[in-house]
Amino acid sequence: MPAKQIFIIRHGETEYNKLNIVQGSGVDNDLNETGTKQAQQFFDMYQRFPFDLVYTSALKRSQQSVAGFLQKGIQHVVMPELNEISWGDFEGKPQTLEQRALYWQMIHKWNAGELDAKIPNGESPLEMQQRQKKVFHSIVENEAKNILICMHGRAMKSFLCLLLNIPLTQMDDFPHVNLCLYQLEYVNGYFSLLKHNSTDHLNM
């Protein structure tokens, strides 16, 4: 089977990113001016790459981040399974010191293997990665050879673990910033990582 090239990017900046307010899957914000510029910078560098399929989440900030590619008429598949993790009661609210402490407590639990832990009314990493398996199978089974995926920070950490067959407890090995790139290759049934949290396109 011919190799596949998989480009996975996090969406560009929103005002909530700038203000450090949690969005999660329940807040559907637009990109801000910086985020729109980041999306254009990524497009400027990769517009000639022969993508034949674009996956996005169902959230606007994901789709706006690849607008240049969609305007070229590349096949676009919206997959809610790529949505960000649900942060439950944290979403859309300025963080208090108490919430920030609970957030880091949750991260430590996940890294220690308590992957069913979640913020009240939110989603656990196990639940998130379970839904992402639909996207995994779609990538492997479709005929597209060059795939662009735009998604979200915590969801991307989980998805990279899934693709690379790495324990979910290690998801924080995959740092991210707005409009960063992870590039993978899929050959003979295995994914390998080619670029790690690349921001070369933002420094043009």
Side-chain angles (χ1 to χ4, degrees):
M1 177 182 292
K4 291 176 182 274
Q5 298 293 317
I6 316 295
F7 288 66
I8 303 176
I9 59 172
R10 185 189 178 202
H11 64 82
E13 185 183 273
T14 69
E15 279 305 298
Y16 273 19
N17 289 143
K18 184 177 179 179
L19 297 172
N20 200 29
I21 298 175
V22 173
Q23 293 172 111
S25 62
V27 176
D28 196 12
N29 281 333
D30 294 301
L31 299 184
N32 63 14
E33 183 177 350
T34 297
T36 301
K37 179 181 177 181
Q38 291 166 338
Q40 185 63 48
Q41 288 173 310
F42 181 80
F43 179 74
D44 287 345
M45 178 171 280
Y46 290 103
Q47 61 180 306
R48 293 179 180 82
F49 192 85
F51 292 114
D52 44 11
L53 180 60
V54 178
Y55 287 115
T56 67
S57 77
L59 300 172
K60 290 187 294 185
R61 58 190 183 272
S62 167
Q63 297 173 29
Q64 290 169 357
S65 296
V66 293
F69 298 95
L70 302 185
Q71 290 167 7
K72 293 179 68 175
I74 301 170
Q75 182 184 2
H76 176 210
V77 178
V78 177
M79 300 201 77
E81 294 82 6
L82 291 171
N83 282 10
E84 179 61 298
I85 194 170
S86 171
W87 288 105
D89 291 353
F90 279 9
E91 293 185 349
K93 302 172 185 176
Q95 288 190 31
T96 64
L97 291 176
E98 181 182 1
Q99 286 175 326
R100 195 66 182 165
L102 180 56
Y103 168 83
W104 283 111
Q105 182 183 52
M106 192 63 54
I107 299 301
H108 293 318
K109 283 185 177 183
W110 293 346
N111 291 341
E114 296 181 52
L115 296 168
D116 57 351
K118 52 187 169 183
I119 299 297
N121 297 309
E123 185 179 27
S124 74
L126 286 177
E127 291 170 331
M128 173 175 58
Q129 194 176 76
Q130 183 62 36
R131 61 172 159 87
Q132 290 177 341
K133 290 179 180 178
K134 180 177 179 181
V135 188
F136 175 95
H137 292 301
S138 181
I139 291 171
V140 170
E141 294 168 5
N142 71 52
E143 296 182 356
K145 297 299 182 287
N146 298 300
I147 301 173
L148 175 60
I149 300 172
C150 188
M151 52 190 308
H152 308 265
R154 179 58 55 174
M156 184 166 65
K157 290 173 177 281
S158 167
F159 194 53
L160 286 165
C161 288
L162 180 61
L163 296 181
L164 295 167
N165 195 29
I166 292 173
L168 195 46
T169 51
Q170 295 175 226
M171 59 182 160
D172 282 327
D173 289 350
F174 300 106
H176 57 75
V177 295
N178 286 112
L179 226 303
C180 68
L181 166 67
Y182 281 85
Q183 184 181 349
L184 298 88
E185 187 173 56
Y186 180 72
V187 183
N188 297 325
Y190 295 94
F191 289 92
S192 57
L193 189 60
L194 304 180
K195 287 189 177 182
H196 182 279
N197 193 29
S198 174
T199 56
D200 292 347
H201 49 280
L202 300 180
N203 301 317
M204 295 173 61

